[in-house]
């Protein structure tokens, strides 16, 4: 009969026994005295009260056998072993317990292991120890404060496993043995492997050895089956492992040792075998679990062979390629031989050398199974070589315009020369190039000498090529753009004029485009058509060199000019927009308005440039008027390049604004200028802006990111704390 237990990491089959024993224990605690007995993993002592254990009694019941234990006592050291409910430690002397060892004796030790761990001053709970291992400290003057003890059945003897292995895990200690291919360790719990033991079944009559890479230590010496590789009680992770058969192990002829590890942050690695490393080094990653198994080696079933050249001239070489099947055969070694080494020889790498005219059979034979494959080689007598005595060169043209081509013709003498291969070169590839076929391409005006060479006999011939440039191309260096109008009503047109520099440039072709064709379009002649209220950037681009220039266009709705009239103040010959008067009263609350600020205005017959938008000029144009009458709301805002200053609170509270382009002429954005524009999700700020006032964009809840291209732009509390501001540092 068997049953399954769990150590919190994996299920393990164990041998059932006639009775289920219990372990009971009590401790003598500072200022408390003897506590009551607890059992089977419960804590005896205290935690978080800084009280020392001074003595302990342990007993078992339910099975024949006994339990022994010894304690390390302050100022005394290790006491003699006590057993079966005797007290170990002291009472009434105020001496702390510092360490403990526990072991089973008699019949119970055949079926059970005793596990225990202690709660140590300033350390907390230590890893579980088993069967006599020390829990606690020695020489550090640290008190034991609590203890847990439990009995665990020994693992079932597994008759089918050729190897078993056990790992020591962080916080849990040694696990029960796992059989071939089973996982030992854990994953998903962030627990490190600290040590491993591997055993091989006696019937294999072979020895295994293994090494581990340990945190801060590196690779440990190889150990034999049953020995620990790694550390215990040092809290050091295993990072890698290698496993192999010992030299001349009989099982090595039949089995590969195959293994894989589960690595922190990576998961299960691919399977490796026979002393290959599984894990990592130099990455500080812990091993968390391992699986090991023996895999039958695959015998060779056949071999095939090919040769890259089956007919050779005396002195030539070729190479045999042998393919062993199956591809995963354990021993792919082969040998090569020749049926007639006077005709052809073959070395251990498969290199064939032709010796004399005739035929020979080349044989490939596998070390495993003696499988063979053959190849027939024919060797011919060497060919009589006719040497080259000279070479001459002609060209289909000796004068070329830039971009044109010609063909060189090389004539090798004598006509029956064995090797007529030649190579071409140019003395100045900037003037003319020549390819491997003799094709010449003219690159720029000048002269170049073209050479043909017979490399093996150093024979050469040359010809001179003259390249001319009949028409010099004058490149475009720049382009500028003007418009017959920069402000248009919907449906109106304007004409763009592009000026290409220099005036005598060879290719003056240009193309036009609009940044927003829903606002304004531009055709191939530069004709601009206004589509709807808004702003657009019109771009001209030269075909030669890709030079560009731009012109901004403002499209206004004729309806807007009928609805409102802007108001101004004048100072120092410049106009400041102060607000607007409703010429036509809105019918409903929230009637949308496309607000276009002009570049200039005429007041009393005098034209003034508009350079400033005044303080509170359009404040709260999304709010209801104090007398509850309907009001226009600003839905779209177009600001011209003439504006230099946007005043304090000039557009605050305009809820319906969704995007904003600050023109390149603006240098100052005032305090609270766009505060409470809650739908404003897009703002473009040019490099001309030097100052952005406090609260300028506060409570713009749709705004998440702003780019300020000028590293010298000054701002402090202009944006909400959640807005990401991208500004270069220099």
């Amino acid at each position: 009969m068997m049953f399954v237990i769990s150590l919190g990491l994996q299920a393990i089959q164990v041998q059932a026994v006639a009775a289920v024993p219990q372990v009971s224990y009590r401790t003598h605690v500072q200022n408390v005295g003897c506590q009551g007995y607890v059992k089977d993993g419960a804590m005896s002592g205290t935690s978080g009260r800084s009280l020392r254990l001074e003595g302990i009694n342990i007993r078992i019941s339910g099975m024949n056998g006994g339990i022994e234990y010894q304690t390390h006592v302050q100022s005394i050291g290790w006491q003699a072993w006590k057993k079966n409910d005797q007290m170990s430690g002291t009472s009434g002397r105020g001496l702390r317990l510092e360490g403990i060892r526990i072991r089973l004796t008699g019949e119970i030790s055949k079926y059970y292991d005793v596990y225990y761990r202690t709660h140590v001053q300033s350390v907390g709970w230590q890893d579980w120890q088993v069967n006599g291992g020390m829990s606690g400290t020695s020489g550090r003057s640290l008190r034991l404060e609590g203890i847990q003890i439990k009995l665990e059945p020994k693992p079932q003897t597994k008759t089918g496993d050729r190897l078993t292995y056990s790992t020591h895990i962080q916080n849990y200690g040694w696990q029960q043995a796992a059989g071939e291919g089973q996982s030992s360790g854990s994953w998903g719990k962030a627990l490190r492997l600290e040590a491993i033991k591997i055993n091989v079944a006696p019937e294999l009559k072979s020895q295994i050895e293994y090494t581990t890479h340990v945190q801060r230590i590196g690779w440990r010496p190889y150990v034999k089956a049953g020995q620990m590789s790694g550390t215990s009680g040092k809290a050091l992770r295993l990072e890698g492992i290698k496993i192999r058969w010992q030299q001349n192990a009989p099982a090595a002829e039949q089995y590969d040792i195959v293994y894989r590890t589960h690595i922190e942050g990576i998961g299960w690695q691919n399977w490796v075998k026979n002393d290959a490393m599984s894990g990592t080094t130099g990455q500080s990653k812990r091993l968390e679990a391992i699986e090991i198994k023996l895999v039958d080696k695959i015998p060779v079933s056949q071999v095939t062979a090919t040769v890259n050249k089956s007919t050779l001239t005396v002195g030539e070489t070729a190479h045999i390629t042998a393919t062993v099947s199956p591809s995963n055969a354990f021993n792919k070694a082969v040998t090569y031989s020749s049926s007639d080494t006077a005709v052809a020889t073959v070395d251990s790498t498969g290199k064939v050398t032709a010796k004399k005219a005739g035929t020979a059979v080349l044989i490939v034979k596998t070390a495993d199974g003696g499988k063979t494959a053959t190849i027939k080689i024919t060797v011919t007598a060497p060919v009589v070589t006719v040497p080259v005595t000279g070479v001459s060169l002609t060209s289909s043209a000796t004068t070329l315009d830039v971009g044109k081509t010609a063909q060189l013709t090389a004539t090798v003498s004598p006509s029956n020369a064995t090797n007529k291969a030649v190579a071409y070169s140019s003395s100045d590839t900037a003037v003319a190039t020549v390819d491997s076929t003799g094709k010449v391409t003219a690159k720029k005006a000048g002269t170049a000498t073209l050479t043909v060479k017979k490399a093996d006999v150093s024979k050469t011939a040359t010809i001179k090529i003259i390249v001319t440039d009949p028409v010099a191309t004058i490149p475009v260096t720049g382009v500028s753009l003007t418009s017959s109008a920069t402000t248009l009503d919907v449906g109106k047109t304007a004409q763009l004029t592009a000026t290409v520099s220099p005036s005598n440039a060879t290719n003056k072709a240009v193309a036009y485009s609009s940044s927003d064709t829903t606002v304004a379009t531009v055709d191939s002649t530069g004709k601009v058509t206004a589509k709807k209220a808004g702003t657009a950037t019109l771009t001209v681009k030269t075909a030669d060199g890709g030079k560009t220039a731009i012109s901004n266009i403002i499209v206004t709705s004729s309806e807007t000019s009928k609805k409102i009239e802007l108001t101004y103040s004048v100072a120092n010959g410049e106009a400041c927009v102060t607000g607007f008067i409703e010429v036509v009263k809105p019918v409903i609350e929230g009637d949308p308005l496309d607000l276009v600020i002009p570049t200039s205005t005429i007041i009393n017959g005098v034209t003034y440039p508009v350079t400033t938008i005044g303080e509170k000029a359009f404040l709260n144009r999304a709010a209801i008027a104090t007398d509850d009458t309907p009001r226009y709301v600003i839905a779209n805002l177009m600001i011209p390049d003439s504006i230099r200053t946007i005043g304090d609170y000039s557009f605050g509270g305009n809820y319906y604004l969704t995007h904003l382009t600050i023109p390149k002429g603006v240098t100052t954005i005032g305090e609270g200028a766009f505060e409470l524009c809650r739908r404003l999700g897009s703002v473009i700020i040019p490099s001309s802006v030097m100052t952005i006032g406090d609260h300028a964009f506060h409570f713009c809840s749709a705004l998440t990111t702003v780019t300020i291209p000028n590293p010298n732009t000054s701002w402090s509390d202009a944006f909400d704390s959640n807005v990401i501001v991208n500004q270069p540092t220099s």
Side-chain angles (χ1 to χ4, degrees), residues 26-84:
R26 68 177 181 180
T27 53
H28 190 281
V29 180
Q30 172 188 358
N31 301 334
V32 176
C34 281
Q35 292 186 311
Y37 280 94
V38 297
K39 63 182 179 181
D40 297 333
M43 186 186 80
S44 181
T46 62
S47 175
R49 296 175 61 185
S50 300
L51 299 178
R52 64 181 172 266
L53 298 188
E54 297 178 344
I56 187 169
N57 298 70
I58 310 173
R59 64 192 183 191
I60 59 171
S61 60
M63 183 174 285
N64 292 332
I67 191 165
E68 295 181 339
Y69 40 97
Q70 68 171 168
T71 53
H72 190 281
V73 180
Q74 174 188 354
S75 304
I76 297 175
W78 287 105
Q79 289 190 310
W81 288 88
K82 303 294 184 180
K83 61 183 179 180
N84 303 334

Side-chain angles (χ1 to χ4, degrees), residues 10 12 156 158 160-166 176-184 199 290-294:
Q10 63 176 26
I12 298 171
Q156 176 191 1
K158 307 183 82 175
D161 286 327
R162 294 167 293 187
L163 60 79
T164 57
Y165 41 97
S166 177
Q176 303 292 336
E180 272 190 75
Q182 293 181 333
S183 296
S184 182
N199 282 292
I290 188 170
E291 295 176 355
I292 312 172
K293 58 187 178 181
L294 299 183

Side-chain angles (χ1 to χ4, degrees), residues 306-320:
T306 59
V307 68
N308 62 336
K309 192 174 183 181
S310 60
T311 299
L312 301 175
T313 300
V314 172
E316 283 191 311
T317 61
H319 194 274
I320 297 175

Side-chain angles (χ1 to χ4, degrees), residues 1 3 15-21 63 111-112:
M1 181 176 69
F3 58 93
Q15 182 72 35
V17 294
V20 179
M63 183 174 285
Y111 302 104
Y112 283 85

Side-chain angles (χ1 to χ4, degrees), residues 60 274 285 385 450 549 679 687 710 725:
I60 59 171
N274 302 337
K285 293 185 179 296
T385 301
L450 306 179
R679 299 184 185 179
S687 59
N710 191 340
V725 179

Side-chain angles (χ1 to χ4, degrees), residues 424-655:
Y424 299 95
S425 63
S426 169
S427 64
D428 191 343
T429 56
V431 173
T433 60
V434 57
D435 66 14
S436 60
T437 68
K439 181 181 177 181
V440 180
T441 302
K443 294 295 186 178
K444 76 171 186 178
T447 60
T449 298
L450 306 179
T451 301
V452 64
K453 184 176 183 181
K454 189 67 184 73
D456 58 346
V457 290
S458 299
K459 304 294 184 180
T460 62
T462 62
I463 195 168
K464 186 177 181 181
I465 289 290
I466 299 173
V467 178
T468 59
D469 191 357
V471 179
T473 299
I474 300 174
V476 171
T477 59
V479 65
S480 60
L481 186 64
T482 59
S483 176
S484 61
T486 57
T487 303
L488 292 176
D489 283 342
V490 172
K492 300 297 182 180
T493 63
Q495 182 63 46
L496 298 180
T497 300
T499 303
V500 175
S501 300
S503 60
N504 62 341
T506 301
N507 184 359
K508 293 185 178 182
V510 297
Y512 299 95
S513 62
S514 170
S515 65
D516 190 345
T517 56
T518 65
V519 173
T521 61
V522 56
D523 67 14
S524 60
T525 68
K527 180 182 177 181
V528 180
T529 303
K531 294 295 186 178
K532 74 171 186 179
T535 61
T537 298
L538 306 177
T539 302
V540 63
K541 184 176 183 180
T542 65
D544 177 18
K547 309 296 184 181
T548 60
I550 63 171
S551 176
N552 292 319
I553 194 80
I554 299 174
V555 178
T556 61
S557 170
S558 59
E559 294 298 318
T560 297
S561 61
K562 295 176 183 177
K563 293 178 180 179
I564 66 168
E565 180 179 316
L566 296 178
T567 59
Y568 303 88
S569 63
V570 176
N572 299 320
E574 297 179 345
C576 169
V577 182
T578 60
F580 64 74
I581 299 171
E582 295 172 344
V583 178
V584 177
K585 295 295 183 180
V587 177
I588 61 171
E589 172 61 30
D591 195 356
L593 185 69
D594 295 328
L595 180 60
V596 179
I597 309 297
T599 58
S600 63
T601 186
I602 301 174
I603 302 174
N604 298 326
V606 179
T607 300
Y608 297 94
V610 179
T611 61
T612 304
I613 300 174
E615 180 178 345
K616 300 182 180 178
F618 304 98
L619 180 65
N620 291 331
R621 290 310 303 179
I624 300 174
T626 55
D627 58 357
D628 292 329
T629 59
R631 303 185 69 190
Y632 290 116
V633 297
I634 300 173
N636 293 294
L637 174 61
M638 284 70 76
I639 302 173
D641 289 345
S642 62
I643 296 297
R644 295 194 300 272
T645 302
I646 299 175
D648 296 347
Y649 303 99
S650 50
F651 294 96
N654 281 274
Y655 304 161

